[in-house]
Amino acid sequence: MVEVDLPDDGLTTDFNVDAILKKMFKMFNNPSLPLEIPESQLRKLCLATREVTMSQPVVPELSAPVNICGDIHGQFEDFVEQIKVIGLPPQQNYLFLGDYVDRGKRSLETICLLFAFKVKYPNNVFLLRGNHECASINRIYGFYDECKRRYNIKIWKTFTDVFNCLPLAALVENTIFCMHGGLSPDLSDPRALNKIERPLDIPNRGVLCDLLWSDPDPDIVGFGDNDRGVSFTFGANEVSKFLDKNDLSLIVRAHQVVEDGFEFFCKRKVIIKSLRSDHYKLTFLSIHMMNKTWGL
């Protein structure tokens, strides 16, 4: 059983993230419990998350140790089980690579817990934007319908406004570049992304699109067409070129289902971190850094 020491406050008209977390932690011991947070509190949670997110850069720079998680896709029960094993923030630091909603049955529980963590522990929990944190995608793949069924369309629009403010990439210990998708022919310097103004919609092409959509391809050189019909694929030579130019050692990205929850590309210069292919089980990658070395 998870024991958490938080104030015993009810959900009143005034926003209280501890009260929301207390509600969420009750679900840790029984993940099948329904989400019982009033719409007014969800809106205030979204506003608080937006405020915290906008106060931080488009490319936050993190220190190790940090636990990195790929796609969650509304799998609240699996997410809770992993958090219980690894530990809660702020004792553990987390970087999530996007795709929190859609596909799974409990996107609302998942995103509410992540937002509450972000508000309560803004420097211990970081949430990057995935391609499913876009209205054009989650309007189709489940989150819109879940919001409409359980609350209303207005709450979906409120979440969308927060998604439009999420950071696009992260740097860990100045040597690991993390994003949801991958590299772009239009990206040369990761820190240059900090000049981008938010909130923003993700366009159909360009560096913002590629950061959320591109994929590695071991069979090509340079950049090629993507079977998704969006963005590019990138070869191992582009990885080496990008890492060398920016004095980086590793790329960690999500966006694909892989056999064991993670997979190497380009002679261990890229880690694909995502759901395992067997029933979409979640796995985490723990990074402990010292003198620009990394280990799993």
Side-chain angles (χ1 to χ4, degrees):
M1 178 175 291
V2 175
E3 299 290 343
V4 181
D5 184 19
L6 289 173
D8 190 17
D9 298 318
L11 292 176
T12 65
T13 54
D14 295 324
F15 175 69
N16 184 336
V17 71
D18 286 339
I20 288 181
L21 279 171
K22 194 173 184 70
K23 289 275 189 180
M24 300 300 299
F25 286 142
K26 288 181 179 179
M27 301 172 69
F28 269 46
N29 300 317
N30 188 356
S32 63
L33 287 174
L35 182 69
E36 295 181 347
I37 300 177
E39 179 186 343
S40 61
Q41 294 297 302
L42 287 188
R43 290 185 180 280
K44 291 178 181 179
L45 175 62
C46 287
L47 291 173
T49 306
R50 186 186 191 278
E51 182 178 353
V52 170
T53 298
M54 289 293 284
S55 72
Q56 296 176 332
V58 174
V59 183
E61 301 193 24
L62 286 59
S63 299
V66 60
N67 300 289
I68 302 177
C69 181
D71 302 6
I72 302 175
H73 277 311
Q75 295 175 213
F76 182 69
E77 289 85 354
D78 286 344
F79 178 39
V80 165
E81 287 304 311
Q82 289 292 333
I83 291 290
K84 287 163 67 175
V85 171
I86 297 171
L88 295 168
Q91 284 73 33
Q92 294 288 329
N93 300 317
Y94 287 95
L95 171 62
F96 296 93
L97 301 181
D99 278 14
Y100 315 114
V101 301
D102 287 342
R103 304 192 190 281
K105 296 181 179 180
R106 306 189 74 186
S107 292
L108 279 168
E109 283 84 355
T110 301
I111 198 63
C112 286
L113 180 58
L114 287 168
F115 279 8
F117 278 156
K118 182 60 185 175
V119 172
K120 180 68 175 178
Y121 308 109
N123 297 314
N124 301 97
V125 176
F126 290 86
L127 310 176
L128 302 189
R129 189 173 185 178
N131 63 305
H132 282 260
E133 280 70 61
C134 299
S136 60
I137 301 299
N138 63 52
R139 174 67 177 81
I140 300 170
Y141 286 97
F143 186 54
Y144 171 89
D145 291 332
E146 184 177 338
C147 290
K148 182 179 179 181
R149 184 181 72 254
R150 300 174 64 180
Y151 287 91
N152 51 54
I153 296 174
K154 287 184 178 180
I155 201 68
W156 172 73
K157 292 180 178 179
T158 303
F159 278 107
T160 296
D161 184 52
V162 185
F163 294 159
N164 288 343
C165 300
L166 293 178
L168 302 173
L171 285 166
V172 179
E173 292 287 346
N174 293 312
T175 191
I176 300 177
F177 186 45
C178 305
M179 79 289 278
H180 179 73
L183 297 180
S184 170
D186 299 322
L187 178 63
S188 58
D189 178 5
R191 291 181 175 86
L193 296 169
N194 285 317
K195 298 176 182 179
I196 295 171
E197 294 185 1
R198 297 168 293 171
L200 57 88
D201 292 319
I202 301 299
N204 293 327
R205 60 179 60 86
V207 63
L208 304 182
C209 175
D210 300 334
L211 283 168
L212 273 60
W213 281 96
S214 71
D215 295 296
D217 187 338
D219 298 323
I220 69 167
V221 174
F223 289 90
D225 294 333
N226 196 319
D227 289 341
R228 298 178 189 268
V230 181
S231 186
F232 299 95
T233 56
F234 54 92
N237 69 306
E238 293 297 335
V239 173
S240 298
K241 185 192 307 182
F242 182 84
L243 294 178
D244 291 344
K245 180 177 182 179
N246 291 285
D247 194 24
L248 301 171
S249 62
L250 182 68
I251 291 173
V252 181
R253 46 93 64 182
H255 198 40
Q256 290 175 295
V257 177
V258 291
E259 185 69 24
D260 296 313
F262 69 92
E263 183 175 288
F264 291 102
F265 173 70
C266 187
K267 298 181 180 179
R268 300 173 72 90
K269 292 180 181 178
V270 176
I271 296 178
I272 302 170
K273 182 71 202 72
S274 197
L275 298 163
R276 287 170 52 185
S277 58
D278 54 333
H279 305 295
Y280 271 33
K281 295 297 183 182
L282 295 175
T283 56
F284 284 71
L285 172 69
S286 295
I287 298 289
H288 301 269
M289 301 294 301
M290 183 176 293
N291 297 326
K292 282 198 171 183
T293 63
W294 58 272
L296 304 181

